[in-house]
mmCIF file of all heavy atoms in Angstrom:
data_model
loop_
_atom_site.group_PDB
_atom_site.id
_atom_site.type_symbol
_atom_site.label_atom_id
_atom_site.label_comp_id
_atom_site.label_asym_id
_atom_site.label_seq_id
_atom_site.Cartn_x
_atom_site.Cartn_y
_atom_site.Cartn_z
ATOM 1 N N ALA A 593 82.709 59.039 -84.733
ATOM 2 C CA ALA A 593 83.457 59.249 -83.478
ATOM 3 C C ALA A 593 82.529 59.645 -82.282
ATOM 4 O O ALA A 593 82.878 59.588 -81.140
ATOM 5 C CB ALA A 593 84.447 60.388 -83.762
ATOM 6 N N ALA A 594 81.316 60.073 -82.572
ATOM 7 C CA ALA A 594 80.453 60.564 -81.512
ATOM 8 C C ALA A 594 79.874 59.303 -80.708
ATOM 9 O O ALA A 594 79.349 59.495 -79.673
ATOM 10 C CB ALA A 594 79.325 61.352 -82.139
ATOM 11 N N LEU A 595 79.966 58.092 -81.298
ATOM 12 C CA LEU A 595 79.395 56.928 -80.566
ATOM 13 C C LEU A 595 80.487 56.405 -79.575
ATOM 14 O O LEU A 595 81.544 56.057 -79.982
ATOM 15 C CB LEU A 595 79.078 55.840 -81.536
ATOM 16 C CG LEU A 595 78.456 54.547 -80.989
ATOM 17 C CD1 LEU A 595 77.081 54.886 -80.333
ATOM 18 C CD2 LEU A 595 78.327 53.483 -82.026
ATOM 19 N N PRO A 596 80.229 56.319 -78.264
ATOM 20 C CA PRO A 596 81.212 55.944 -77.357
ATOM 21 C C PRO A 596 81.613 54.472 -77.767
ATOM 22 O O PRO A 596 80.829 53.634 -78.101
ATOM 23 C CB PRO A 596 80.454 55.882 -76.065
ATOM 24 C CG PRO A 596 79.286 56.956 -76.275
ATOM 25 C CD PRO A 596 79.024 56.856 -77.689
ATOM 26 N N VAL A 597 82.903 54.225 -77.560
ATOM 27 C CA VAL A 597 83.482 52.901 -77.822
ATOM 28 C C VAL A 597 82.792 51.840 -76.927
ATOM 29 O O VAL A 597 82.489 50.707 -77.274
ATOM 30 C CB VAL A 597 84.950 52.864 -77.603
ATOM 31 C CG1 VAL A 597 85.499 51.404 -77.782
ATOM 32 C CG2 VAL A 597 85.584 53.784 -78.626
ATOM 33 N N ALA A 598 82.575 52.190 -75.615
ATOM 34 C CA ALA A 598 81.994 51.286 -74.666
ATOM 35 C C ALA A 598 80.587 50.857 -75.121
ATOM 36 O O ALA A 598 80.176 49.700 -74.891
ATOM 37 C CB ALA A 598 81.895 51.953 -73.249
ATOM 38 N N ALA A 599 79.824 51.824 -75.628
ATOM 39 C CA ALA A 599 78.455 51.439 -76.139
ATOM 40 C C ALA A 599 78.475 50.408 -77.256
ATOM 41 O O ALA A 599 77.731 49.447 -77.356
ATOM 42 C CB ALA A 599 77.723 52.787 -76.603
ATOM 43 N N THR A 600 79.540 50.621 -78.168
ATOM 44 C CA THR A 600 79.613 49.671 -79.202
ATOM 45 C C THR A 600 79.987 48.297 -78.784
ATOM 46 O O THR A 600 79.368 47.280 -79.183
ATOM 47 C CB THR A 600 80.780 50.187 -80.169
ATOM 48 O OG1 THR A 600 80.426 51.497 -80.735
ATOM 49 C CG2 THR A 600 80.798 49.203 -81.422
ATOM 50 N N TYR A 601 80.957 48.241 -77.884
ATOM 51 C CA TYR A 601 81.376 46.939 -77.291
ATOM 52 C C TYR A 601 80.158 46.338 -76.557
ATOM 53 O O TYR A 601 80.030 45.097 -76.528
ATOM 54 C CB TYR A 601 82.571 47.151 -76.407
ATOM 55 C CG TYR A 601 83.820 47.362 -77.101
ATOM 56 C CD1 TYR A 601 84.913 47.987 -76.457
ATOM 57 C CD2 TYR A 601 84.000 46.831 -78.398
ATOM 58 C CE1 TYR A 601 86.148 48.136 -77.162
ATOM 59 C CE2 TYR A 601 85.268 47.055 -79.006
ATOM 60 C CZ TYR A 601 86.263 47.736 -78.425
ATOM 61 O OH TYR A 601 87.430 47.903 -79.035
ATOM 62 N N PHE A 602 79.387 47.172 -75.841
ATOM 63 C CA PHE A 602 78.265 46.633 -75.103
ATOM 64 C C PHE A 602 77.275 45.928 -76.038
ATOM 65 O O PHE A 602 76.747 44.815 -75.788
ATOM 66 C CB PHE A 602 77.594 47.714 -74.278
ATOM 67 C CG PHE A 602 76.328 47.244 -73.644
ATOM 68 C CD1 PHE A 602 76.380 46.522 -72.497
ATOM 69 C CD2 PHE A 602 75.110 47.606 -74.195
ATOM 70 C CE1 PHE A 602 75.208 46.061 -71.863
ATOM 71 C CE2 PHE A 602 73.891 47.195 -73.616
ATOM 72 C CZ PHE A 602 73.950 46.440 -72.442
ATOM 73 N N LEU A 603 76.922 46.621 -77.169
ATOM 74 C CA LEU A 603 75.966 46.068 -78.148
ATOM 75 C C LEU A 603 76.555 44.810 -78.770
ATOM 76 O O LEU A 603 75.794 43.744 -79.032
ATOM 77 C CB LEU A 603 75.703 47.149 -79.248
ATOM 78 C CG LEU A 603 74.914 48.359 -78.814
ATOM 79 C CD1 LEU A 603 74.786 49.357 -79.833
ATOM 80 C CD2 LEU A 603 73.453 47.935 -78.338
ATOM 81 N N VAL A 604 77.829 44.793 -79.146
ATOM 82 C CA VAL A 604 78.434 43.621 -79.757
ATOM 83 C C VAL A 604 78.353 42.449 -78.670
ATOM 84 O O VAL A 604 78.033 41.347 -79.073
ATOM 85 C CB VAL A 604 79.887 43.894 -80.115
ATOM 86 C CG1 VAL A 604 80.625 42.566 -80.497
ATOM 87 C CG2 VAL A 604 79.946 44.855 -81.245
ATOM 88 N N ALA A 605 78.843 42.705 -77.423
ATOM 89 C CA ALA A 605 78.729 41.636 -76.380
ATOM 90 C C ALA A 605 77.296 41.141 -76.176
ATOM 91 O O ALA A 605 77.076 39.890 -75.984
ATOM 92 C CB ALA A 605 79.322 42.122 -75.141
ATOM 93 N N SER A 606 76.431 42.051 -76.196
ATOM 94 C CA SER A 606 74.953 41.742 -76.036
ATOM 95 C C SER A 606 74.518 40.804 -77.126
ATOM 96 O O SER A 606 73.794 39.763 -76.986
ATOM 97 C CB SER A 606 73.996 42.951 -75.957
ATOM 98 O OG SER A 606 74.400 43.769 -74.878
ATOM 99 N N GLY A 607 74.872 41.159 -78.381
ATOM 100 C CA GLY A 607 74.597 40.299 -79.499
ATOM 101 C C GLY A 607 75.149 38.870 -79.411
ATOM 102 O O GLY A 607 74.423 37.955 -79.656
ATOM 103 N N LEU A 608 76.321 38.835 -78.967
ATOM 104 C CA LEU A 608 77.042 37.456 -78.824
ATOM 105 C C LEU A 608 76.398 36.701 -77.774
ATOM 106 O O LEU A 608 76.056 35.412 -78.001
ATOM 107 C CB LEU A 608 78.569 37.726 -78.578
ATOM 108 C CG LEU A 608 79.327 38.256 -79.657
ATOM 109 C CD1 LEU A 608 80.806 38.523 -79.173
ATOM 110 C CD2 LEU A 608 79.337 37.377 -80.913
ATOM 111 N N VAL A 609 76.153 37.298 -76.571
ATOM 112 C CA VAL A 609 75.660 36.510 -75.483
ATOM 113 C C VAL A 609 74.221 36.117 -75.665
ATOM 114 O O VAL A 609 73.813 34.944 -75.539
ATOM 115 C CB VAL A 609 75.748 37.336 -74.190
ATOM 116 C CG1 VAL A 609 75.104 36.661 -72.936
ATOM 117 C CG2 VAL A 609 77.215 37.618 -73.796
ATOM 118 N N VAL A 610 73.344 37.108 -76.047
ATOM 119 C CA VAL A 610 71.924 36.747 -76.330
ATOM 120 C C VAL A 610 71.724 35.872 -77.390
ATOM 121 O O VAL A 610 70.964 34.943 -77.357
ATOM 122 C CB VAL A 610 71.148 38.096 -76.383
ATOM 123 C CG1 VAL A 610 69.687 37.834 -76.694
ATOM 124 C CG2 VAL A 610 71.215 38.979 -75.214
ATOM 125 N N GLY A 611 72.581 36.111 -78.485
ATOM 126 C CA GLY A 611 72.383 35.220 -79.644
ATOM 127 C C GLY A 611 72.738 33.789 -79.337
ATOM 128 O O GLY A 611 72.204 32.854 -79.709
ATOM 129 N N LEU A 612 73.914 33.623 -78.549
ATOM 130 C CA LEU A 612 74.322 32.297 -78.111
ATOM 131 C C LEU A 612 73.263 31.671 -77.226
ATOM 132 O O LEU A 612 72.953 30.433 -77.483
ATOM 133 C CB LEU A 612 75.643 32.479 -77.314
ATOM 134 C CG LEU A 612 76.141 31.095 -76.728
ATOM 135 C CD1 LEU A 612 76.529 30.144 -77.902
ATOM 136 C CD2 LEU A 612 77.446 31.302 -75.904
ATOM 137 N N LEU A 613 72.735 32.301 -76.264
ATOM 138 C CA LEU A 613 71.691 31.779 -75.423
ATOM 139 C C LEU A 613 70.485 31.328 -76.228
ATOM 140 O O LEU A 613 69.866 30.290 -76.055
ATOM 141 C CB LEU A 613 71.329 32.847 -74.284
ATOM 142 C CG LEU A 613 72.253 33.055 -73.194
ATOM 143 C CD1 LEU A 613 71.759 34.186 -72.270
ATOM 144 C CD2 LEU A 613 72.563 31.783 -72.434
ATOM 145 N N GLY A 614 70.072 32.220 -77.179
ATOM 146 C CA GLY A 614 68.897 31.892 -78.022
ATOM 147 C C GLY A 614 69.148 30.696 -78.825
ATOM 148 O O GLY A 614 68.274 29.856 -78.965
ATOM 149 N N MET A 615 70.352 30.619 -79.438
ATOM 150 C CA MET A 615 70.654 29.412 -80.308
ATOM 151 C C MET A 615 70.710 28.256 -79.404
ATOM 152 O O MET A 615 70.426 27.058 -79.984
ATOM 153 C CB MET A 615 71.886 29.691 -81.012
ATOM 154 C CG MET A 615 71.869 30.779 -82.045
ATOM 155 S SD MET A 615 70.527 30.616 -83.228
ATOM 156 C CE MET A 615 71.118 29.110 -84.169
ATOM 157 N N VAL A 616 71.238 28.231 -78.246
ATOM 158 C CA VAL A 616 71.300 27.107 -77.334
ATOM 159 C C VAL A 616 69.947 26.536 -77.038
ATOM 160 O O VAL A 616 69.622 25.304 -77.181
ATOM 161 C CB VAL A 616 72.093 27.446 -76.090
ATOM 162 C CG1 VAL A 616 71.920 26.303 -75.044
ATOM 163 C CG2 VAL A 616 73.608 27.569 -76.365
ATOM 164 N N PHE A 617 69.035 27.476 -76.652
ATOM 165 C CA PHE A 617 67.722 27.064 -76.332
ATOM 166 C C PHE A 617 66.942 26.526 -77.516
ATOM 167 O O PHE A 617 66.167 25.552 -77.558
ATOM 168 C CB PHE A 617 66.847 28.183 -75.738
ATOM 169 C CG PHE A 617 67.187 28.427 -74.281
ATOM 170 C CD1 PHE A 617 67.907 29.504 -73.862
ATOM 171 C CD2 PHE A 617 66.789 27.456 -73.299
ATOM 172 C CE1 PHE A 617 68.285 29.643 -72.519
ATOM 173 C CE2 PHE A 617 67.152 27.610 -71.972
ATOM 174 C CZ PHE A 617 67.838 28.809 -71.550
ATOM 175 N N ALA A 618 67.194 27.146 -78.731
ATOM 176 C CA ALA A 618 66.516 26.813 -79.985
ATOM 177 C C ALA A 618 66.961 25.368 -80.349
ATOM 178 O O ALA A 618 66.305 24.452 -80.730
ATOM 179 C CB ALA A 618 66.874 27.777 -81.052
ATOM 180 N N ALA A 619 68.326 25.115 -80.198
ATOM 181 C CA ALA A 619 68.984 23.845 -80.522
ATOM 182 C C ALA A 619 68.409 22.724 -79.612
ATOM 183 O O ALA A 619 68.089 21.650 -79.996
ATOM 184 C CB ALA A 619 70.440 23.840 -80.476
ATOM 185 N N LYS A 620 68.392 23.068 -78.268
ATOM 186 C CA LYS A 620 67.783 22.138 -77.315
ATOM 187 C C LYS A 620 66.383 21.790 -77.623
ATOM 188 O O LYS A 620 65.963 20.617 -77.411
ATOM 189 C CB LYS A 620 67.966 22.649 -75.887
ATOM 190 C CG LYS A 620 69.412 22.557 -75.344
ATOM 191 C CD LYS A 620 69.492 23.055 -73.920
ATOM 192 C CE LYS A 620 70.811 22.814 -73.295
ATOM 193 N NZ LYS A 620 71.125 21.428 -72.992
ATOM 194 N N SER A 621 65.635 22.742 -78.069
ATOM 195 C CA SER A 621 64.169 22.491 -78.304
ATOM 196 C C SER A 621 64.014 21.542 -79.449
ATOM 197 O O SER A 621 62.960 20.943 -79.701
ATOM 198 C CB SER A 621 63.439 23.748 -78.616
ATOM 199 O OG SER A 621 63.857 24.355 -79.874
ATOM 200 N N ILE A 622 64.964 21.344 -80.281
ATOM 201 C CA ILE A 622 65.016 20.434 -81.391
ATOM 202 C C ILE A 622 65.743 19.067 -81.081
ATOM 203 O O ILE A 622 65.185 17.945 -81.228
ATOM 204 C CB ILE A 622 65.620 20.993 -82.621
ATOM 205 C CG1 ILE A 622 64.828 22.231 -83.112
ATOM 206 C CG2 ILE A 622 65.721 19.992 -83.752
ATOM 207 C CD1 ILE A 622 65.506 22.991 -84.154
ATOM 208 N N ALA A 623 66.919 19.293 -80.432
ATOM 209 C CA ALA A 623 67.791 18.036 -80.155
ATOM 210 C C ALA A 623 67.149 17.165 -79.104
ATOM 211 O O ALA A 623 67.213 15.945 -79.159
ATOM 212 C CB ALA A 623 69.182 18.490 -79.699
ATOM 213 N N GLU A 624 66.556 17.784 -77.955
ATOM 214 C CA GLU A 624 66.002 16.877 -76.907
ATOM 215 C C GLU A 624 64.939 16.000 -77.374
ATOM 216 O O GLU A 624 64.849 14.824 -77.114
ATOM 217 C CB GLU A 624 65.688 17.715 -75.741
ATOM 218 C CG GLU A 624 66.933 18.304 -75.032
ATOM 219 C CD GLU A 624 66.568 19.220 -73.878
ATOM 220 O OE1 GLU A 624 65.354 19.551 -73.744
ATOM 221 O OE2 GLU A 624 67.385 19.606 -73.149
ATOM 222 N N PRO A 625 63.886 16.534 -78.041
ATOM 223 C CA PRO A 625 62.843 15.642 -78.562
ATOM 224 C C PRO A 625 63.302 14.571 -79.539
ATOM 225 O O PRO A 625 62.908 13.449 -79.496
ATOM 226 C CB PRO A 625 61.855 16.597 -79.277
ATOM 227 C CG PRO A 625 62.141 17.947 -78.705
ATOM 228 C CD PRO A 625 63.543 17.982 -78.405
ATOM 229 N N LEU A 626 64.261 14.920 -80.390
ATOM 230 C CA LEU A 626 64.908 13.960 -81.323
ATOM 231 C C LEU A 626 65.695 12.865 -80.548
ATOM 232 O O LEU A 626 65.588 11.721 -80.874
ATOM 233 C CB LEU A 626 65.779 14.599 -82.273
ATOM 234 C CG LEU A 626 65.181 15.593 -83.308
ATOM 235 C CD1 LEU A 626 66.243 16.210 -84.253
ATOM 236 C CD2 LEU A 626 64.144 14.859 -84.116
ATOM 237 N N ALA A 627 66.281 13.286 -79.435
ATOM 238 C CA ALA A 627 66.985 12.291 -78.669
ATOM 239 C C ALA A 627 65.952 11.368 -78.031
ATOM 240 O O ALA A 627 66.217 10.118 -77.892
ATOM 241 C CB ALA A 627 67.827 13.061 -77.535
ATOM 242 N N GLY A 628 64.859 11.809 -77.579
ATOM 243 C CA GLY A 628 63.832 11.020 -77.044
ATOM 244 C C GLY A 628 63.301 10.083 -78.070
ATOM 245 O O GLY A 628 63.006 8.823 -77.785
ATOM 246 N N VAL A 629 63.102 10.559 -79.325
ATOM 247 C CA VAL A 629 62.647 9.608 -80.385
ATOM 248 C C VAL A 629 63.734 8.465 -80.716
ATOM 249 O O VAL A 629 63.393 7.371 -80.838
ATOM 250 C CB VAL A 629 62.326 10.330 -81.592
ATOM 251 C CG1 VAL A 629 61.974 9.450 -82.836
ATOM 252 C CG2 VAL A 629 61.183 11.364 -81.377
ATOM 253 N N ARG A 630 64.937 8.916 -80.707
ATOM 254 C CA ARG A 630 66.096 7.970 -80.925
ATOM 255 C C ARG A 630 66.122 6.915 -79.827
ATOM 256 O O ARG A 630 66.266 5.657 -80.091
ATOM 257 C CB ARG A 630 67.369 8.679 -80.979
ATOM 258 C CG ARG A 630 67.680 9.494 -82.284
ATOM 259 C CD ARG A 630 68.956 10.200 -82.230
ATOM 260 N NE ARG A 630 70.095 9.169 -82.116
ATOM 261 C CZ ARG A 630 71.296 9.554 -81.839
ATOM 262 N NH1 ARG A 630 71.640 10.845 -81.726
ATOM 263 N NH2 ARG A 630 72.219 8.651 -81.670
ATOM 264 N N ALA A 631 65.910 7.317 -78.620
ATOM 265 C CA ALA A 631 65.897 6.360 -77.464
ATOM 266 C C ALA A 631 64.734 5.416 -77.620
ATOM 267 O O ALA A 631 64.852 4.203 -77.346
ATOM 268 C CB ALA A 631 65.833 7.136 -76.107
ATOM 269 N N GLY A 632 63.553 5.958 -78.039
ATOM 270 C CA GLY A 632 62.431 5.119 -78.272
ATOM 271 C C GLY A 632 62.689 4.074 -79.300
ATOM 272 O O GLY A 632 62.298 2.923 -79.271
ATOM 273 N N MET A 633 63.325 4.501 -80.421
ATOM 274 C CA MET A 633 63.663 3.567 -81.499
ATOM 275 C C MET A 633 64.633 2.535 -80.979
ATOM 276 O O MET A 633 64.470 1.365 -81.435
ATOM 277 C CB MET A 633 64.282 4.398 -82.741
ATOM 278 C CG MET A 633 63.332 5.301 -83.393
ATOM 279 S SD MET A 633 64.107 6.307 -84.747
ATOM 280 C CE MET A 633 64.469 4.914 -85.849
#
């Protein structure tokens, strides 16, 4: 009960947003080179 609800929501939101951004960039770092290879093929 001592942990503010707002702080919990903030950490959860941060995890969702930062995790999403990180996964997007990680996926692009793999997908874009593969798309280049597919176009070359």
Side-chain angles (χ1 to χ4, degrees):
L595 182 65
V597 175
T600 301
Y601 284 155
F602 174 77
L603 290 173
V604 172
S606 299
L608 293 174
V609 173
V610 176
L612 176 62
L613 289 175
M615 293 304 293
V616 166
F617 281 109
K620 282 182 173 291
S621 69
I622 298 172
E624 289 179 350
L626 293 181
V629 173
R630 286 180 58 191
M633 292 178 65

